[in-house]
Amino acid sequence: AVVSTQSTWEAVVSTQSTWEAVVSTQSTWTWKQWYQRRVHGKQWYQRRVHGKYADREEKDSMDAEGMMQFFSDVGANPEGIEALGVAWILGLQEMGDIDRQPFIDGFSKLGCSGMSDIRKQVDKVKSQLKDQGSFKKFYRWLFTHLKGDDKKKAIPADLATQIWPIVFGDRYPLLGRFCDFLDNSETDYVTKDVWEQLLDFLREMKSDLSNFEEMAAWPVLVDEFVEAVSKEEKT
C-alpha cells in the first residue's frame, strides 16, 4: 500500500511538473507573440503613414512635396530647425531624404503607433532643442548628417552659411557677420573643428568681441574673422 501511495504521489508530482512546463512554455510563447505583434503592429502603422506622403513613383522615398506636407501635419516647420530635429531623432543619414525603412524603424523604436504619437515626439524634440546639452548633441550630429559620406572631412562653406541661420536663429548677433565674412573669404570648406567650436565662440563672445582673447585656442578661421572685424572697425 505504501509503494502504491508513493507511486501515485510521484505520478502527481510528475504530472504537475509537466503542467508547469507547459504553462511556462505557453507563457513564453504568448509573450513573444505579444511583443512581435506590438512591434510589427507599430511598423504597420508607420508604413501606412510613410505611404501617405511617399513619392507616387518611388514608393520607398518621400518627394519634396510629401516631406513638406508631412512636417506640416506633425507640427514641424519644414524649413526650420524642427525638421532637422526630426531627422536627428530618426538617425537619418542623408540630408533631404526620408526613406521608408529608416522612417518605420525610427518611429517604431520611439514607440509611435500613428500620427498622434509622432506629433508627441516632434513636441518632445522641440523641447530638447531648447536645452543646451541636447542642442549640442544635435549640433554635433548635424555636421555628420550634412557631410553624408563618412570619408569626407568637411562640408561646403556655402552649405554651412545656409544652415547656421536655420539652426541658431537670431540668438547670436555675431553669426550674421561671421557668415558674411565666410561668404567673402576664400574658404571653400568648413571642418568639424570649426563647426563645433563656432557654437562655443558664439555663446561666449560679446557682440563687440571685447572679451576675445588672442591667446585662446580658437580655430584659425575664427582668428581671421576677429582680425577682419577689427580692421573693419578701424577704417
Side-chain angles (χ1 to χ4, degrees), residues 1-232:
V2 175
V3 174
S4 177
T5 303
Q6 184 176 3
S7 299
T8 302
W9 173 248
E10 289 175 348
V12 170
V13 171
S14 177
T15 302
Q16 186 175 1
S17 299
T18 303
W19 172 247
E20 288 175 349
V22 170
V23 171
S24 177
T25 303
Q26 187 175 5
S27 299
T28 303
W29 175 247
T30 303
W31 168 254
K32 287 181 179 178
Q33 282 183 316
W34 176 86
Y35 178 77
Q36 289 172 352
R37 286 176 182 175
R38 184 175 176 84
V39 171
H40 289 294
K42 288 177 180 177
Q43 291 182 345
W44 179 80
Y45 278 117
Q46 302 318 319
R47 189 173 288 107
R48 285 192 63 187
V49 172
H50 187 276
K52 180 181 177 181
Y53 302 99
D55 188 294
R56 292 184 179 181
E57 295 181 1
E58 298 291 336
K59 300 293 185 181
D60 286 341
S61 299
M62 290 186 191
D63 57 16
E65 183 179 350
M67 282 192 286
M68 293 284 283
Q69 189 60 55
F70 167 72
F71 286 126
S72 178
D73 288 349
V74 297
N77 181 358
E79 298 177 352
I81 188 175
E82 296 157 9
L84 294 170
V86 171
W88 174 45
I89 62 174
L90 291 179
L92 300 182
Q93 295 182 348
E94 295 185 23
M95 183 176 62
D97 287 334
I98 304 182
D99 292 337
R100 179 169 58 183
Q101 203 55 52
F103 180 93
I104 293 171
D105 292 343
F107 279 123
S108 295
K109 287 178 181 178
L110 290 169
C112 299
S113 297
M115 289 294 285
S116 61
D117 290 333
I118 292 176
R119 291 190 189 98
K120 290 177 183 177
Q121 288 298 325
V122 171
D123 289 339
K124 184 177 179 180
V125 80
K126 287 179 184 178
S127 298
Q128 287 178 312
L129 293 173
K130 293 177 182 177
D131 173 75
Q132 282 201 4
S134 296
F135 179 86
K136 194 163 191 175
K137 291 178 182 178
F138 157 77
Y139 183 71
R140 288 181 172 178
W141 165 87
L142 185 56
F143 180 83
T144 303
H145 180 66
L146 296 173
K147 187 165 60 74
D149 190 343
D150 289 338
K151 295 179 181 179
K152 294 179 180 179
K153 302 297 182 183
I155 62 174
D158 58 350
L159 175 59
T161 56
Q162 291 176 45
I163 294 295
W164 277 324
I166 295 174
V167 171
F168 293 132
D170 57 1
R171 280 179 289 180
Y172 305 115
L174 283 173
L175 177 63
R177 298 181 74 176
F178 184 82
C179 288
D180 289 341
F181 160 77
L182 195 56
D183 286 336
N184 294 312
S185 73
E186 296 181 356
T187 302
D188 295 323
Y189 294 94
V190 169
T191 63
K192 182 180 180 181
D193 183 47
V194 170
W195 177 271
E196 292 186 353
Q197 291 208 47
L198 181 65
L199 173 60
D200 296 327
F201 176 77
L202 294 174
R203 283 179 173 175
E204 294 176 19
M205 289 301 111
K206 295 180 179 180
S207 58
D208 62 357
L209 293 171
S210 59
N211 60 332
F212 178 78
E213 297 181 7
E214 293 184 4
M215 298 304 293
W218 295 111
V220 173
L221 188 62
V222 171
D223 290 334
E224 291 175 349
F225 163 68
V226 174
E227 183 180 351
V229 171
S230 179
K231 287 181 179 179
E232 183 181 307

